[in-house]
């Protein structure tokens, strides 16, 4: 995703710090710490650093990747941090060139640089509306830090069948804007017709933005690979969609409690924006920009 000069062969060369004792002097040193998201240049494995431990006389770090898979790696060269090669050193230890290595910026789950303060801004009058509780929880998990910094509140609607009436009651205006995230917003769908009608409400034309992803449900914006599968199960027409998905995954699906537990299991698999489909990422960022562009 990054257009840097370092390719796979360069990373292998950088990795020789672990394999032959040669060290690249132009690679910054970064102390190992929980939460770093690293890529191993040799295998391509990407994971979050969970802990550092001593085993067989050496210090290793444990990375957790998609689907909860973990792998251990010795500290040293051969890793990417935010697309750039780094040397991972022991916690609190100085690397070979740590004086020249700026601290990696702290990132939120959405990939934004974390602000200097974590204090939430006073909520704006503007709002983000989503269809349901699951949508709200997913947006909160990935973009929650950004939204608190901007003072934006996310509210679930419980469906969009009465979106026109809800917008009319909200009375949108230049200082009271709305961003609405809709499931299955594709040409000719019920959702697209509701969105068109909603934008005809007085005051909505320039103060309401309705966007959406093409998936039947927000569950599907989670990349299948995160769950260790190639694709989401295909659900037959007329079958309850969430129940069918759980059955297709081989998970309990007898009733609402199983659906709730299944969603919590899905949500727990999401750690950062990279676990979601681009169709969702772009729409959320578009809504945030729409609500904050006027300051």
């Amino acid at each position: 995703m990054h257009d840097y000069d370092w390719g796979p062969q360069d990373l292998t060369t950088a990795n020789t710090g672990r394999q032959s004792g040669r060290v690249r002097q132009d690679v910054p040193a970064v102390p190992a710490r929980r939460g770093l998201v690293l890529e191993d240049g040799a295998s391509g494995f990407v994971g979050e650093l969970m802990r550092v431990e001593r085993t067989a006389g050496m210090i290793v770090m444990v990375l957790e990747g998609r689907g909860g898979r973990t792998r251990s790696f010795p500290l040293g060269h051969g890793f990417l941090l935010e697309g750039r090669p780094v040397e991972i050193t022991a916690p609190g230890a100085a690397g070979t060139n740590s004086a020249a290595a700026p601290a990696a910026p702290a990132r939120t789950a959405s990939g934004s640089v974390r602000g200097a303060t974590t204090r939430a801004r006073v909520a704006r009058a503007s709002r983000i509306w989503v269809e349901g509780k699951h949508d709200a929880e997913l947006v909160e998990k990935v973009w929650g830090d950004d939204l608190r910094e901007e003072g934006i509140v996310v509210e679930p609607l419980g469906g969009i069948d009465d979106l026109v009436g809800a917008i009319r009651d909200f009375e949108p205006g230049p200082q009271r804007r709305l961003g609405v995230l809709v499931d299955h917003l594709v040409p000719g769908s019920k959702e697209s017709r509701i969105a068109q009608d909603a934008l005809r409400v007085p005051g909505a034309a320039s103060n309401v933005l309705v966007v959406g992803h093409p998936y039947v449900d927000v569950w599907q914006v989670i990349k299948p690979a995160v769950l260790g599968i190639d694709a989401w199960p295909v659900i037959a027409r007329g079958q309850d969609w969430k129940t069918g998905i759980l059955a297709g995954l081989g998970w309990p699906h007898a009733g609402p409690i199983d659906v709730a537990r299944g969603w919590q299991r899905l949500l727990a698999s999401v750690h950062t924006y990279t676990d979601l489909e681009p169709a969702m990422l772009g729409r959320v960022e578009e809504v945030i920009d729409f609500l904050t562009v006027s300051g």
Side-chain angles (χ1 to χ4, degrees), residues 178-200:
L178 269 177
V180 187
L181 289 166
V182 179
D183 297 339
H184 198 230
L185 191 62
V186 296
S189 67
K190 176 191 76 172
E191 290 81 2
S192 66
R193 292 191 293 273
I194 291 174
Q196 291 169 5
D197 291 340
L199 293 177
R200 299 189 184 100

Side-chain angles (χ1 to χ4, degrees), residues 57-166:
M58 68 170 62
I59 300 176
V60 300
M61 59 183 173
V62 179
L63 303 185
E64 180 178 304
R66 289 176 175 171
R69 293 186 302 125
T70 60
R71 288 184 59 179
S72 297
F73 297 91
L75 305 185
H77 289 78
F79 299 100
L80 284 176
L81 174 63
E82 297 181 1
R84 295 194 180 278
V86 293
E87 175 195 5
I88 302 300
T89 62
T96 56
N97 61 342
S98 58
R107 299 277 176 172
T108 67
S110 71
S112 300
V113 176
R114 191 180 298 277
T117 177
T118 57
R119 181 177 298 175
R121 176 174 173 168
V122 175
R124 299 171 185 261
S126 300
R127 293 287 186 269
I128 292 178
W129 285 354
V130 295
E131 288 204 39
K133 179 174 179 284
H134 295 178
D135 307 71
E137 290 176 341
L138 184 63
V139 170
E140 164 62 28
K141 182 161 189 180
V142 177
W143 286 274
D145 289 331
D146 308 63
L147 295 174
R148 281 184 287 277
E149 187 171 330
E150 295 290 350
I152 299 174
V153 176
V154 178
E155 297 177 345
L157 288 172
I160 63 165
D161 287 349
D162 191 31
L163 182 59
V164 170

